[in-house]
Amino acid sequence: MDNPVKDKNYDMISSLYHLAQGSEMCKQYAKDAEQEGDNDAAQLFNELQRNYTEYGDKIAKVLKERL
């Protein structure tokens, strides 16, 4: 799908939003996996959640410098 708004700052804000959403979902998925006793899946979702958070922090830092 083509983005109707051609703006790098908008793209970063959108990416930050989606990373935050993904981070929250991974927290829930990890919790669900833990409740089912699937430690491997829980560990994977926790790792993914940390990556989402790390990249979100990087984007937020760049945005703070720009805006």
Side-chain angles (χ1 to χ4, degrees):
M1 182 158 92
D2 211 11
N3 184 356
V5 178
K6 301 290 185 194
D7 180 272
K8 290 178 286 192
N9 292 334
Y10 173 87
D11 294 343
M12 284 192 281
I13 292 167
S14 178
S15 295
L16 180 59
Y17 169 79
H18 290 288
L19 286 164
Q21 253 188 337
S23 177
E24 287 301 311
M25 293 306 302
C26 284
K27 280 184 195 178
Q28 183 61 53
Y29 297 158
K31 183 179 175 183
D32 293 345
E34 287 170 0
Q35 289 176 346
E36 293 181 15
D38 190 341
N39 293 327
D40 290 336
Q43 184 178 10
L44 179 65
F45 287 123
N46 283 323
E47 181 180 343
L48 186 55
Q49 186 271 329
R50 286 189 299 272
N51 286 331
Y52 278 124
T53 299
E54 178 184 335
Y55 285 109
D57 290 345
K58 287 180 182 182
I59 290 175
K61 182 181 176 186
V62 171
L63 281 169
K64 284 178 188 176
E65 293 169 358
R66 289 174 175 239
L67 302 177

